[in-house]
Amino acid sequence: MSKVTFLLPIALIAALAAGCGGGGSSASIDKEDVAVVGKTHISKTDFNVLLAQAKRSFAQQGRPFPKAGTTDYESVKGNAVTLLVQQAERQEKADEMGVAVTDADVQKRLDQIIKQYFQGKKSKYEAQLKKQHLTDAQVRKDIRTQLVSEKLFNKVTSGVAVSDDDVHQYYITHPQLYSQPQSRDVRYILVKSRTVANSIYRQVKAGTDKTWCTLAKKYAKDASGQNCGKATFTKGQTVPAFDKVAFTQPTKTVHAPIYDPVQYKSWFVVEPLTPVKPRQTTPEKQVKTSIKQQLLQQKKNQEMTNWVTKTTKDFCSGSKVKYQAGYTPNPDPCAATTSTNATTTG
């Protein structure tokens, strides 16, 4: 069974550390809050759940969790608060934009999780909850947060499009992605000694496929010996001395030993097995769909990044966040978007 972690891991907390707003708020902060975002209260219970997940993540990695009062602890603590504030900011924006997640949406996603990871058995799901010290309500809350993010992404990026001109421009400016250089099947044996190389050359020149296989397995100084010396190379892939012989020597003709003074400082005995396969280019029409999908995802990601940046600035400049004393992240994530630190504590 694949491992399931319902809450966001500490690595993701750190990655999102830059995405929060700061500043004062007209909303009153209760003693059981760590912060208030607009009208949304972030409880100490939510914070403690996330901190407990961070502790489990550290334990799973075999790392000691930072001691309270240390710089590392304050960093983890600040990142947890930052993530919760960012989630609240997104929920506030979702409400403004009419983005809603219903209980039925949450149940559908939970059913999918149980089917995928627990063979559709609720008992196995509940056992995993117990193992991770979580409740069903906590999991549902986490799922709701994820669904809000997904729906916001879809709404924010709904107008993003990629034209045929965009696809064509990408295709012609990235020719290396859609073409294959000349290639050829060869067999070879790499050895350190010139004397051994000459001996191999004489034997394989007068021998059979079995001779090649036996000598490759016995003498080859690289992995090619496991395949009787056979391999496929593209032009320019390997060292110049080998490359020249591999792409100029007649098919089924063993070349006298060649020395590579550049990288291997060893001797090669080489025999091309097939004609050189010409350079091939994949037509644009064959990759048009995949290019369009790739560019569309890139443009959507950028559109969402721009939206998140604007949202952050709105909350920072709008003084819509208030922190409980002792829970203000340090440094204040809003410092990058405001010239003055307007953070207040209650």
Side-chain angles (χ1 to χ4, degrees):
M1 177 187 72
S2 301
K3 182 178 181 297
V4 179
T5 299
F6 294 108
L7 295 182
L8 296 172
I10 195 65
L12 183 54
I13 297 173
L16 294 175
C20 142
S25 171
S26 59
S28 60
I29 189 164
D30 298 332
K31 65 178 181 178
E32 293 304 317
D33 294 334
V34 297
V36 173
V37 179
K39 299 178 181 179
T40 303
H41 292 258
I42 300 174
S43 70
K44 292 180 180 177
T45 298
D46 292 336
F47 169 80
N48 289 334
V49 167
L50 199 55
L51 200 65
Q53 173 64 14
K55 290 179 179 179
R56 287 192 292 273
S57 179
F58 270 73
Q60 289 167 0
Q61 298 173 42
R63 300 165 56 200
F65 192 74
K67 294 182 179 180
T70 64
T71 301
D72 287 343
Y73 176 83
E74 290 301 317
S75 177
V76 172
K77 177 182 174 182
N79 288 340
V81 174
T82 292
L83 178 61
L84 291 169
V85 168
Q86 186 189 54
Q87 290 176 347
E89 288 174 351
R90 292 196 177 190
Q91 183 61 63
E92 293 260 323
K93 283 292 186 180
D95 293 341
E96 291 178 14
M97 297 166 63
V99 174
V101 173
T102 66
D103 290 344
D105 293 332
V106 174
Q107 184 63 54
K108 182 178 179 181
R109 178 61 59 85
L110 181 57
D111 290 343
Q112 291 172 351
I113 291 173
I114 293 175
K115 181 179 180 180
Q116 180 177 356
Y117 295 101
F118 304 102
Q119 296 81 49
K121 297 180 179 179
K122 190 175 180 180
S123 59
K124 290 188 176 183
Y125 160 70
E126 291 172 343
Q128 185 72 359
L129 291 184
K130 185 176 181 181
K131 182 178 179 180
Q132 292 191 16
H133 307 285
L134 294 172
T135 67
D136 180 69
Q138 289 169 346
V139 171
R140 290 174 184 272
K141 186 173 183 178
D142 188 53
I143 291 174
R144 185 178 296 275
T145 298
Q146 181 62 39
L147 290 175
V148 167
S149 293
E150 292 175 8
K151 289 195 173 188
L152 274 174
F153 182 89
N154 291 337
K155 183 149 190 170
V156 169
T157 64
S158 61
V160 176
V162 173
S163 68
D164 289 343
D165 286 343
D166 293 332
V167 172
H168 179 66
Q169 186 63 25
Y170 185 87
Y171 177 81
I172 63 176
T173 55
H174 296 80
Q176 71 281 4
L177 299 179
Y178 306 105
S179 63
Q180 297 178 345
Q182 292 176 306
S183 64
R184 198 174 197 184
D185 296 339
V186 304
R187 57 184 173 188
Y188 71 97
I189 300 175
L190 170 66
V191 294
K192 292 289 185 180
S193 166
R194 180 175 185 176
T195 301
V196 174
N198 285 331
S199 174
I200 291 173
Y201 170 66
R202 289 191 297 269
Q203 292 180 71
V204 296
K205 190 174 181 181
T208 63
D209 290 345
K210 184 177 181 181
T211 307
W212 264 101
C213 202
T214 300
L215 295 178
K217 289 181 178 180
K218 181 177 180 180
Y219 291 109
K221 298 302 181 183
D222 64 1
S224 68
Q226 302 303 313
N227 194 36
C228 296
K230 296 179 181 179
T232 300
F233 291 93
T234 57
K235 191 166 180 58
Q237 176 183 347
T238 186
V239 294
F242 184 98
D243 192 71
K244 182 179 179 180
V245 170
F247 286 91
T248 60
Q249 181 72 6
T251 303
K252 299 290 187 179
T253 299
V254 183
H255 194 280
I258 55 172
Y259 182 70
D260 166 42
V262 179
Q263 180 177 341
Y264 296 100
K265 295 180 171 53
S266 299
W267 294 84
F268 289 94
V269 177
V270 182
E271 178 186 11
L273 296 176
T274 63
V276 175
K277 298 174 185 176
R279 181 182 183 89
Q280 297 180 339
T281 299
T282 304
E284 181 178 343
K285 63 181 181 181
Q286 291 186 17
V287 293
K288 180 179 179 179
T289 299
S290 62
I291 292 176
K292 180 168 284 191
Q293 291 174 343
Q294 175 186 336
L295 294 181
L296 183 62
Q297 190 61 51
Q298 290 176 352
K299 290 182 74 171
K300 284 186 174 184
N301 289 344
Q302 186 59 54
E303 185 73 12
M304 191 64 189
T305 297
N306 295 342
W307 182 87
V308 170
T309 299
K310 184 179 183 302
T311 297
T312 297
K313 291 180 178 179
D314 288 345
F315 275 90
C316 288
S317 61
S319 300
K320 297 177 181 178
V321 178
K322 186 175 184 180
Y323 293 107
Q324 184 71 264
Y327 287 92
T328 303
N330 184 25
D332 179 4
C334 248
T337 61
T338 57
S339 57
T340 58
N341 187 349
T343 302
T344 62
T345 58

